């Protein structure tokens, strides 16, 4: 009964558009006050412990890393290099869009940052060269989902802390699905633009192509530092975030893209974003403690087992649930609320924790493109000054590609577990 009231109160507050952190915190505090065996001291301890974690320190650092990448001119360097390499191909800017997002993703770790950066640069460039606006915003939004799958994926850090998994292992888990997504988006781009023979860039001289590629190498250095350092064991993901920030800061200064005023705005934006994320994490830690105390995972497992004993059916049900939740909740909040309940049930079904993590993260990222919340939709509409219905129409063809990738990830677990196992992370 108590558990039902807690969940009901949370849903009611969310429907009333109360901020997620408050919606998590209020029912938890009421529970602590009413329950004679609990105390405010325990509540404070559980709340603080949610953010008092070395891995969680990587979140604000990687947010700063993405913000620095946004203002440092790195996006332009990557776009120029990708255009020089594949721009001559029919519909080449579609591949350039995906490739640039893939390169930028190694520094941003968040779909919102990728959509904001790519939307400002690539959508106007594509429209200017004759690409349909709907296609331009659609592929930009779909390719932004690459960022949360590969290092330094912020959703992976949040999931790892919530489920007690290795951050490095989750970083490696998302690389193969990200590559699969890249190939699928390129194939979709080819299909949509296959009849547009007019969409070709002029062939550049070899020397100019070489200079464009050479100019992008320093921008890719952050990816080498982060991934290379983690794989080699030189430093942890948290330490990699700090080293990556220093590298990008030096690079931005070298490009003369950062003055004191812009640096101040970048730091302020990082503090605001980090504060909101960590407030949700702290509130969810207390809410999770209440769920565990009320045996929510065990009750969920019993309920699901009464419905099915087949892991495949369980995964289908989870995907359907996440489609709904992802459309109405921001991914960080959804991970913090659902993972403490669903992850233990998945283990009972014998599902590999890394495989399950990949499913949850990717499914919730698709929610970023799904109204009514759909944060990427509104970011793209804002930065490109495109009506929201137009952005949604542009995204529709790419939903098929995204759902196809999700199904492959769901039913072929080796795609998510092979790399972290081969590298010794699992």
């Amino acid at each position: 009964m108590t558990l039902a009231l807690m969940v009901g109160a949370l849903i009611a507050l969310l429907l009333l558009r109360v901020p997620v952190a408050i919606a998590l915190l209020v029912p938890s505090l009421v529970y602590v006050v009413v329950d004679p065996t609990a105390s405010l001291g325990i509540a404070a301890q559980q709340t603080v412990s949610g953010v008092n974690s070395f891995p969680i320190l990587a979140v604000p650092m990687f947010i700063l890393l993405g913000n620095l990448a946004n203002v440092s001119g790195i996006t332009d360097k990557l776009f120029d290099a990708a255009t020089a390499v594949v721009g001559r191909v029919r519909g080449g800017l579609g591949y350039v869009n995906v490739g640039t997002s893939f390169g930028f993703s190694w520094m941003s770790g968040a779909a919102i940052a990728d959509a904001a950066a790519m939307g400002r640069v690539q959508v106007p460039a594509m429209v200017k060269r004759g690409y349909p606006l709907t296609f331009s915003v659609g592929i930009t939004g779909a390719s932004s989902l690459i960022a949360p799958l590969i290092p330094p994926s912020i959703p992976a850090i949040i999931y790892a802390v919530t489920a007690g998994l290795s951050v490095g292992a989750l970083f490696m888990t998302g690389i193969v699905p990200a590559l699969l997504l890249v190939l699928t988006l390129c194939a979709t781009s080819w299909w949509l633009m296959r009849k547009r023979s007019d969409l070709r860039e002029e062939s550049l001289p070899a020397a100019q192509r070489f200079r464009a590629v050479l100019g992008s190498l320093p921008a890719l250095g952050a990816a080498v530092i982060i991934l290379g350092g983690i794989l080699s064991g030189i430093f942890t993901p948290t330490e990699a975030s700090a080293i990556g920030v220093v590298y990008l800061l030096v690079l931005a200064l070298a490009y003369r893209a950062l003055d004191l005023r812009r640096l101040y705005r970048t730091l302020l934006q990082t503090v605001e974003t980090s504060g909101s994320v960590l407030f949700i994490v702290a509130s969810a830690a207390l809410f999770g403690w209440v769920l565990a105390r009320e045996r929510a995972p065990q009750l969920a497992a019993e309920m699901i087992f009464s419905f099915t004993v087949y892991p495949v059916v369980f995964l289908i049900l989870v995907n359907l649930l996440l489609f709904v939740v992802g459309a109405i909740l921001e991914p960080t909040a959804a991970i913090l609320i659902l993972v403490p309940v669903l992850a233990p049930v998945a283990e009972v079904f014998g599902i590999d924790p890394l495989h399950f993590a990949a499913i949850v993260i990717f499914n919730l990222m698709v929610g970023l493109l799904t109204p009514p919340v759909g944060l990427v939709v509104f970011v793209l509409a804002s930065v490109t000054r495109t009506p929201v219905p137009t952005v949604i129409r542009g995204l529709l063809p790419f939903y098929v590609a995204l759902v196809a990738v999700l199904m492959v990830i769901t039913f072929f677990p080796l795609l998510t577990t092979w790399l972290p196992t081969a590298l010794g992370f699992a």
Side-chain angles (χ1 to χ4, degrees), residues 15-299:
L15 291 175
L16 291 172
R17 297 187 178 276
V18 174
V20 174
I22 303 299
L24 289 166
L25 192 60
V26 170
S28 304
L29 290 177
V30 171
Y31 173 90
V32 170
V33 171
V34 172
D35 191 331
T37 62
S39 69
L40 290 176
I42 294 176
Q45 183 181 15
Q46 293 297 325
T47 304
V48 172
S49 67
V51 292
N52 186 23
S53 163
F54 185 66
I56 208 72
L57 182 62
V59 171
M61 297 304 293
F62 280 130
I63 291 173
L64 177 56
L65 188 75
N67 289 338
L68 285 172
N70 260 335
V71 301
S72 64
I74 281 175
T75 308
D76 297 326
K77 302 285 184 183
L78 294 173
F79 180 74
D80 292 342
T83 304
V85 174
V86 298
R88 186 72 183 94
V89 179
R90 178 188 301 175
L93 287 190
Y95 311 128
V96 168
N97 191 306
V98 176
T100 307
S101 286
F102 182 69
F104 185 76
S105 294
W106 296 98
M107 292 161 276
S108 69
I112 301 298
D114 187 286
M118 299 300 111
R120 289 190 185 97
V121 175
Q122 302 203 64
V123 172
M126 294 177 73
V127 172
K128 183 179 179 180
R129 289 165 172 81
Y131 287 78
L133 176 60
T134 51
F135 173 78
S136 302
V137 294
I139 195 167
T140 302
S143 65
S144 71
L145 299 195
I146 300 170
L149 297 180
I150 59 178
S153 166
I154 292 174
I157 298 171
I158 299 295
Y159 191 108
V161 172
T162 305
L165 299 176
S166 163
V167 174
L170 270 188
F171 277 177
M172 297 305 108
T173 297
I175 291 178
V176 174
L179 293 172
L180 178 62
L181 179 59
V182 167
L183 294 174
T184 306
L185 291 178
C186 286
T188 306
S189 177
W190 171 83
W191 176 258
L192 293 174
M193 296 292 106
R194 67 191 185 282
K195 297 180 181 179
R196 295 292 303 271
S197 57
D198 57 311
L199 297 179
R200 296 179 188 267
E201 297 295 298
E202 294 183 4
S203 182
L204 298 175
Q208 191 172 344
R209 290 200 302 269
F210 177 75
R211 284 196 299 271
V213 173
L214 190 64
S216 70
L217 293 182
L220 296 174
V224 175
I225 290 172
I226 292 169
L227 188 60
I230 294 172
L231 290 178
S232 63
I234 296 176
F235 38 72
T236 66
T238 303
E239 294 164 343
S241 66
I243 295 170
V245 164
V246 173
Y247 177 83
L248 276 193
L249 187 59
V250 172
L251 196 62
L253 294 173
Y255 287 159
R256 297 182 180 179
L258 198 64
D259 53 26
L260 287 178
R261 180 176 296 179
R262 184 170 289 184
L263 177 61
Y264 173 76
R265 288 201 301 266
T266 301
L267 293 173
L268 185 62
Q269 182 182 0
T270 301
V271 170
E272 290 174 350
T273 306
S274 302
S276 62
V277 170
L278 295 178
F279 187 21
I280 294 173
V281 171
S283 301
L286 180 59
F287 190 81
W289 174 76
V290 173
L291 292 181
R293 186 181 172 92
E294 291 296 317
R295 298 182 67 254
Q298 293 87 339
L299 293 174

